[in-house]
Structure formats: C-alpha cells, structure tokens
Amino acid sequence: MSNKKHNIIIVISEFNKTITDGLLNGAKQAFDDNNGKDLTIIKVPGAFEIPATAKLVALKLNPDAIVTLGAVIKGETKHFDFISMECTRAIQDLTLEFDMPIMFGVLTTENVEQAIERSTSNNKGYEVMDAAFKMIETFKDIKSSSEK
C-alpha cells in the first residue's frame, strides 16, 4: 500500500518567470516533503488568468487542493493595483465557492528585490504548498465531524 497522499494542481503565471520559477521550485519541494501523490502544473500567461483557470480546474479536475502561484510587482502605473486587487479578490471568491482548499500564492510586492527574496530564501511557494496539505486535512476533519 502506498503512503503517498493527495492530488494537487498548481495554477502558475508565467509572467515574471524568474520569480514564479522560484515559487514553483519551493512548491515542488513542499509537495515532496509532504509525500504528495500527484502534482499537475498548469501554466497561464499572467496573474489575471489564474482565477478563471483555477475555477475550471475545480469544476473539471476535482483535485484535493489548488495552489495558485504568481508574481505581481509594483511599477510606475496603476496596473499593479488593478491586477493584484482583482486577482486576490477573484481567488478569495473561489475559496468560498468550492469545497476544497484553493491556496493564494500570488506575490504582490513593492519591488523586484522583495519578489526575489520571497521566491528564494523565504520561499512563499513552499509555504503555500505546505499550507495546502494542512488545509486538506482541516477540510477532511470538518467534513468527518459533521457526519457524526
């Protein structure tokens, strides 16, 4: 009998690829450290495309959890504000709509240096994937206690 557990899908933005690659490496490490069973990675062009893709994943692929990864770095225009707020809001809406953990791992940083730090030495990809495993168990505990 295999002791591997949980099927998780990552929806990851390819924009700011150096940063998102670091997040993905951290997430893969946490997946392995938590003895994950199946990991699927779905790439999208940017952070704005993450919520619609995560919704389709939730509807059609039935994973144990979805981990969203991306990086929105502040620039000199309002674009950062619009993308970061709408991406955050849309993913939050999905967490309330679906009966599975949908984890928010989209960096919203003031500058590239913060993004690099959060995708390397203080890897948020690792943290979000690790939290996904904890939330899967929390959801299972709540469902099993409500069946008693």
Side-chain angles (χ1 to χ4, degrees), residues 69-136:
L69 299 175
V72 184
I73 302 170
K74 190 167 188 158
E76 296 182 12
T77 68
K78 291 281 191 190
H79 185 73
F80 167 85
D81 297 322
F82 298 129
I83 297 299
S84 59
M85 284 190 295
E86 290 306 315
C87 179
T88 303
R89 181 202 50 78
I91 292 171
Q92 174 63 38
D93 289 349
L94 293 175
T95 66
L96 300 173
E97 180 179 346
F98 290 96
D99 195 17
M100 72 179 67
I102 300 176
M103 309 302 293
F104 184 76
V106 179
L107 300 180
T108 54
T109 62
E110 291 288 320
N111 54 55
V112 173
E113 292 76 21
Q114 287 178 348
I116 290 170
E117 194 267 334
R118 286 165 177 76
S119 65
T120 56
S121 60
N122 183 16
N123 197 301
K124 299 302 178 186
Y126 187 99
E127 289 179 18
V128 171
M129 179 63 78
D130 194 50
F133 280 89
K134 293 173 182 162
M135 288 303 298
I136 290 167

